[in-house]
Amino acid sequence: MCFKKTVQVVDAKPEITFYEVDGDTVRKELLALGLQFLYQLDTTYYYTTVWGWEQAVAWVRKTYKFPKYTDQKFDCDDFAILMKGLISSEFGLSTCAFIIGNEGRHAFNLCRVGTEFPATEWKMLEPQTGEWRTNYTCQKCLL
């Protein structure tokens, strides 16, 4: 019996400009947003521009077959952990935080975006769709 092998063709990994920030700055920024830290592991963090994040997220979602949402089996927290891990392992972007929010009923990612100058901001990423969101509340953070 013969099996047909399917090969997924993936675009080349995008070249992204990285910026470095110290852990104390990151911690102060997130505390100013009202987040409670579950844990902060690193002393140096890496981030990129909005364009860089969008390129990285699109590449990860195209390269890796994300599972379908399955209530209680593979839901929001699993998507957020998967996105955080893939973004970090593939691109070295360590400011993709795992966030629990919306009164503890939703998990998503929070990404530090910007350049060295001017000031930087944090944007909410819905890992199930790869879209930026503005209507979530952030409560607890794992970075």
Side-chain angles (χ1 to χ4, degrees):
M1 183 180 250
C2 190
F3 292 97
K4 182 179 178 182
K5 182 178 180 183
T6 304
V7 177
Q8 183 177 3
V9 178
V10 178
D11 295 337
K13 189 184 284 189
E15 294 292 324
I16 293 173
T17 301
F18 296 93
Y19 300 98
E20 185 178 303
V21 62
D22 65 275
D24 289 338
T25 299
V26 167
R27 184 174 183 80
K28 287 174 188 173
E29 289 174 355
L30 293 174
L31 287 172
L33 293 175
L35 282 163
Q36 175 187 359
F37 273 87
L38 298 175
Y39 212 59
Q40 177 185 354
L41 299 171
D42 299 320
T43 57
T44 303
Y45 288 90
Y46 299 91
Y47 65 101
T48 189
T49 62
V50 171
W51 179 88
W53 280 108
E54 289 170 351
Q55 295 299 305
V57 168
W59 187 87
V60 162
R61 292 181 56 78
K62 188 173 183 178
T63 303
Y64 294 93
K65 183 177 166 62
F66 274 46
K68 293 200 181 294
Y69 177 92
T70 306
D71 191 38
Q72 306 301 313
K73 291 183 179 178
F74 198 92
D75 51 15
C76 62
D77 56 322
D78 302 296
F79 277 97
I81 289 168
L82 180 61
M83 182 63 76
K84 177 176 177 36
L86 290 173
I87 287 292
S88 179
S89 66
E90 289 290 349
F91 290 93
L93 294 169
S94 54
T95 56
C96 182
F98 173 81
I99 301 293
I100 297 172
N102 291 10
E103 307 308 320
R105 289 181 236 136
H106 190 53
F108 53 94
N109 300 109
L110 191 66
C111 305
R112 189 178 204 267
V113 299
T115 58
E116 290 179 295
F117 303 102
T120 305
E121 67 178 312
W122 289 84
K123 292 179 71 78
M124 293 173 232
L125 175 69
E126 174 52 68
Q128 295 177 57
T129 63
E131 299 171 332
W132 298 118
R133 301 298 298 260
T134 58
N135 60 333
Y136 294 155
T137 59
C138 300
Q139 293 167 299
K140 297 181 192 268
C141 173
L142 173 64
L143 189 61

